[in-house]
Amino acid sequence: MSRLNQEWAFDFGPGMPTEAYIGVSPDTRYDDETGYGFEGNGQVFGRNRMDQQEESSGWEHLRQSFCIPMGMNFVVKVPDGIYRVTVEIGDALADTLTIIKAGESKSVLPYISTIRGQFKVALFTVAVHDGRLVLRFSGAAPRINVVTISPTEETLTLFLAGDSTVTDQPATGYPYAGWGQMLPALFKHDVLVDNHAKSGRSSRSFIEEGRLDVIVEKMRAGDFLFIQFGHNDEKSDPDRGTEAFTTYKQHLKVYIDAAKEKQARPVLITPVHRRYFNNDGVLTDTHGEYITAMKELAVEEGVPLIDLAADSKIIFEEAGIEGSKQYFMWTYPGEYLNHPGGVEDNTHFQEWGALRLAEQVIDQIRKLDLQPLRMYLR
């Protein structure tokens, strides 16, 4: 695969690609030899708004020709690392609406809408851990005109350690979502949100499985580590359970010490509430002493604390017993393809709920004035 100044530069759509760009037509399928192409069970369509005479102008092809992916991903084989991705999207003759996700289901940009004749350029930063950069395009009228991918080290990394309420849920579980997978789209491209949260983990099991070691190995001075555990610490499982005022605090302190040793900034986040209401519409606190213990530790160690438990209580109670279902995985049979029998889940979130919680995290970053993170908010 050719490269342009250490970049992968792709020109999408039918017709001759622009000089020095890699042409991607609607029928370009991924294989390991070329190292790029579309992948999935859907279809890709293409349009070229130029006539043959105009096509000789070369550079205009970048905007006038494009692909329309329907249920397909664009995959590029790249070495593991951090990458800056630039996309250009638009159409000379039609309004467009494009949603871009990276990897399994990470939200990396706000929805991109353009009116007829308008073209927008957007940037985001992603980490690649398995040698494949996967871009998922969807929306009411998606377009791909141009994509460039550049290795970069000029970024501030926000690491996330947590459980299923934070993790990047797989696309096969849609609309399941953790608040951590919605967070990248709320930052400018100067910040990489590297989400290491994993379903079913506690503050203890996350460490014992070596997941904190992976974060510490990548961590640099000035980075941030956001830490949210509690849901699984509360369980009696001997491989995960902790005691609030002893082993829970002790394990959380390991994260704090590890970050400080790398001259990074740890931030504690109280566990988001589950959807359990009393008959009078007041939310039942299922975390109890774990919230108190985390708050004590934040004071003892002098680290910032985002009280997502308090924020989520307000959000869920304002929505009410029935209204709060819109945030959680409460779905009807037949409502979503991935869950034909419906779901009644009071712990995990739909994308809308995960986004509301991610927005609360952003709001607390502002209130706590966590610089330079605050400076890079969209």
Side-chain angles (χ1 to χ4, degrees):
M1 178 169 47
S2 61
R3 298 180 67 167
L4 175 66
N5 297 329
Q6 300 300 306
E7 292 182 342
W8 289 264
F10 298 98
D11 181 2
F12 289 81
M16 292 296 295
T18 303
E19 184 179 355
Y21 281 75
I22 303 164
V24 180
S25 67
D27 60 355
T28 301
R29 295 296 178 263
Y30 178 84
D31 65 65
D32 279 335
E33 184 175 348
T34 59
Y36 64 92
F38 290 106
E39 188 176 80
N41 298 320
Q43 292 179 289
V44 182
F45 303 97
R47 286 287 193 187
N48 190 344
R49 303 301 193 191
M50 303 162 58
D51 59 32
Q52 291 183 347
Q53 182 176 359
E54 290 175 319
E55 188 149 352
S56 64
S57 65
W59 286 93
E60 192 63 19
H61 185 272
L62 290 173
R63 289 191 168 183
Q64 299 301 325
S65 187
F66 52 82
C67 286
I68 307 171
M70 305 296 291
M72 296 286 278
N73 305 322
F74 183 65
V75 181
V76 185
K77 186 178 181 179
V78 299
D80 287 357
I82 301 172
Y83 292 88
R84 181 74 39 78
V85 180
T86 305
V87 299
E88 184 166 0
I89 289 174
D91 190 335
L93 298 182
D95 298 347
T96 75
L97 177 62
T98 305
I99 301 170
I100 303 177
K101 296 182 179 181
E104 273 288 330
S105 52
K106 188 187 299 291
S107 179
V108 291
L109 287 170
Y111 292 3
I112 301 174
S113 62
T114 65
I115 60 174
R116 173 178 176 170
Q118 180 185 29
F119 296 85
K120 289 185 178 179
V121 176
L123 292 81
F124 59 92
T125 303
V126 295
V128 175
H129 300 300
D130 59 359
R132 285 164 49 94
L133 197 162
V134 179
L135 300 179
R136 302 177 182 272
F137 293 81
S138 62
R143 300 289 188 271
I144 315 177
N145 302 67
V146 183
V147 173
T148 61
I149 302 166
S150 310
T152 182
E153 294 295 331
E154 298 177 0
T155 185
L156 172 68
T157 301
L158 166 55
F159 294 97
L160 302 180
D163 52 35
S164 58
T165 64
V166 186
T167 194
D168 292 351
Q169 296 286 0
T172 53
Y174 177 84
Y176 266 120
W179 62 257
Q181 80 187 61
M182 311 304 291
L183 204 60
L186 305 180
F187 285 100
K188 299 175 183 177
H189 64 272
D190 308 86
V191 172
L192 166 69
V193 177
D194 197 358
N195 192 356
H196 289 256
K198 192 73 172 176
S199 295
R201 273 50 180 192
S202 68
S203 64
R204 174 183 176 179
S205 63
F206 193 93
I207 293 172
E208 292 180 349
E209 292 175 3
R211 298 181 184 278
L212 178 59
D213 292 336
V214 173
I215 293 175
V216 171
E217 184 177 348
K218 298 178 179 182
M219 191 177 287
R220 298 174 298 183
D223 287 341
F224 283 79
L225 174 60
F226 281 16
I227 309 146
Q228 184 209 275
F229 290 102
H231 285 80
N232 299 301
D233 286 79
E234 301 158 10
K235 297 179 179 179
S236 58
D237 181 350
D239 293 326
R240 296 184 293 176
T242 60
E243 295 295 329
F245 293 105
T246 55
T247 50
Y248 180 58
K249 291 176 69 173
Q250 290 165 10
H251 283 94
L252 290 177
K253 189 174 183 304
V254 174
Y255 295 83
I256 293 170
D257 291 344
K260 287 182 176 180
E261 188 172 340
K262 297 297 290 279
Q263 300 180 50
R265 297 189 60 185
V267 177
L268 292 172
I269 302 180
T270 54
V272 61
H273 276 296
R274 297 180 176 94
R275 184 190 162 274
Y276 290 113
F277 284 89
N278 296 326
N279 292 332
D280 57 1
V282 175
L283 206 67
T284 300
D285 180 3
T286 63
H287 299 306
E289 293 180 338
Y290 288 85
I291 294 174
T292 304
M294 180 179 281
K295 290 179 177 180
E296 284 185 1
L297 183 64
V299 174
E300 292 164 3
E301 295 297 317
V303 300
L305 179 132
I306 292 175
D307 196 353
L308 198 55
D311 288 345
S312 61
K313 178 179 172 64
I314 293 171
I315 292 171
F316 301 155
E317 287 184 346
E318 285 182 347
I321 295 175
E322 288 300 315
S324 59
K325 290 179 180 179
Q326 67 179 315
Y327 299 131
F328 288 83
M329 275 301 296
W330 270 72
T331 67
Y332 292 114
E335 187 175 2
Y336 290 99
L337 289 173
N338 294 326
H339 309 281
V343 183
E344 294 184 4
D345 186 332
N346 291 310
T347 299
H348 301 99
F349 310 112
Q350 301 189 43
E351 278 196 346
W352 172 233
L355 177 59
R356 286 287 282 113
L357 293 169
E359 290 172 341
Q360 288 303 124
V361 172
I362 294 299
D363 185 54
Q364 291 300 321
I365 289 172
R366 290 192 178 95
K367 290 180 178 178
L368 293 170
D369 195 23
L370 296 180
Q371 297 288 6
L373 278 182
R374 179 179 179 180
M375 180 172 63
Y376 296 133
L377 297 177
R378 288 191 184 275

